[in-house]
Amino acid sequence: MTRVSGCIELKGLSEKLVQALVKALETEARNPPDPRRGRVEVSSRDGVLRICIEARDPSAARTLINAYLSLAAATLEAVAATGG
């Protein structure tokens, strides 16, 4: 199998928003629905959110990326809707 790894960085966000994203995404990363597909680490530094994945194959990588970016988008929408 071909393992796939990489990181996505989200920049230009407020520190409050970065922390909300870290909290939401770390919860999912600690309790993945299918840990056999791969693993995800979420971190922040200097206002940059970093989502790193290591997946068992390209299909699993695509699934993880889509899931975490969708969760990040939903979190951004929820924070914006509450005036954050």
Side-chain angles (χ1 to χ4, degrees):
M1 274 189 218
T2 303
R3 295 202 60 85
V4 178
S5 64
C7 297
I8 297 169
E9 291 185 345
L10 300 177
K11 300 176 182 179
L13 305 171
S14 71
E15 187 61 33
K16 179 181 176 182
L17 198 46
V18 169
Q19 292 311 311
L21 287 164
V22 167
K23 185 175 180 180
L25 298 176
E26 277 185 337
T27 299
E28 183 72 16
R30 283 192 307 268
N31 303 298
D34 184 359
R36 296 169 299 171
R37 294 197 77 121
R39 65 185 188 89
V40 176
E41 291 183 12
V42 180
S43 62
S44 67
R45 183 173 177 183
D46 300 327
V48 176
L49 175 70
R50 188 174 172 101
I51 305 166
C52 295
I53 66 156
E54 184 177 320
R56 69 178 183 201
D57 56 44
S59 176
R62 184 177 60 249
T63 299
L64 288 170
I65 290 167
N66 286 340
Y68 280 82
L69 290 180
S70 294
L71 182 54
T75 302
L76 289 171
E77 288 175 16
V79 171
T82 60

